[in-house]
Amino acid sequence: MRNILLLLFIFICSNSLFAKETYKRTLLLMGSRFDITLIANDSVQASKYIDIAINEISRIESLISSWDSNSETSLINENAGIKPVPVSKELMDLIERCITLSRLTDGAFDITFASMDKIWYFDGSMTRLPSQKDIDAAIQKIAYQDMLINKENNTIFLKKKGMKIGFGGIGKGYAADMAKKKLIDEGVTAGIINASGDLCTWGKQKNGQDWKVAITNPLNKAKAFALIPVVNGAVVTSGSYEKFVQFNGKRYSHIIDPRTGYPSQGIISVTVFAPQAELADALATSIFVMGIEVGINRINQLKKVECIIIDELGKVHTSDNIDISSYE
């Protein structure tokens, strides 16, 4: 009995000595708020791991930033219509996945949409609607089909002068995924990375429960439709209710249809659940453009992907294999 009690004492002491805690840091990265939360033995270890995640996110930003003149993305844009640009395998792979997503969404997702960066502004500076002439001119430069990939030479070429690529619709999700992978490789057993609504998780909370995300009612932010567990996966919520302009009594959101050059209509919030934040990020924006019926149909064809859509009247629509009533 004495030996059993001694072993039990040692077990309790060792568990308390190495008891894990939850640590969180909030900071500005990629021009957005990032919340990095993880489970670690102590604050020193947690700080080290969070720094590793920050460095990885910063590395991704330097790769895909269109504001950094030295980034591979900027070099591709500067040489549009001039010559192919050598790129790293990482950027080549990311662009290839973007093209796959463009095909999947019938062009609702298109990284050459960056060619319209000077048409619509949602920072309070717009005083009138853009002219149809300006919109039409910008649309002529939006075409993922005009990105030429040469895998043999590892080059990307934009065929038309003035074309641009940008990763605003997928970049934060990709960065969150890569930071998660980095931390898992470092031995971090559980965490959650929230890149301004692009969220990915792994492991479980300190109390052994799954990480959970609240699906907020955009018409009443104090109320949530449901609290849904996210198990080693990602969830991204995009909304059209915060960034918009209004002219002649009509609201124009910041989510633009790259095929028409005009803001999408009819949907105010989309939440997508997927294995990776990169995929969820791209699909959440695409559903706004595709619309409720087409968007849900597309999601229903994808394995391990679900969505929740809230229309402008506050009605909730979901893909086939998710039932939010069970989480209310």
Side-chain angles (χ1 to χ4, degrees), residues 178-230:
M178 293 301 287
K180 169 185 170 179
K181 180 181 183 302
K182 196 76 171 179
L183 291 176
I184 291 174
D185 290 345
E186 291 289 330
V188 179
T189 58
I192 181 168
I193 297 175
N194 186 351
S196 294
D198 295 12
L199 183 150
C200 61
T201 75
W202 71 103
K204 294 181 180 294
Q205 299 183 62
K206 177 189 170 184
N207 60 11
Q209 295 183 0
D210 295 325
W211 301 102
K212 295 178 181 176
V213 60
I215 307 301
T216 303
N217 181 350
L219 300 178
N220 181 5
K221 295 182 184 179
K223 181 181 178 182
F225 283 113
L227 192 63
I228 299 178
V230 182

Side-chain angles (χ1 to χ4, degrees), residues 2 15 23 32 35 48 88 128 146 156 170 189 199 201 215 229 231-232 239 247-248 253 255 281 318:
R2 185 177 299 172
N15 273 349
Y23 298 90
S32 302
D35 297 293
K48 169 194 163 188
S88 62
R128 61 180 177 82
D146 288 337
I156 303 290
I170 200 170
T189 58
L199 183 150
T201 75
I215 307 301
V231 182
N232 193 28
F247 294 106
N248 302 320
S253 80
I255 299 176
D281 195 359
T318 67

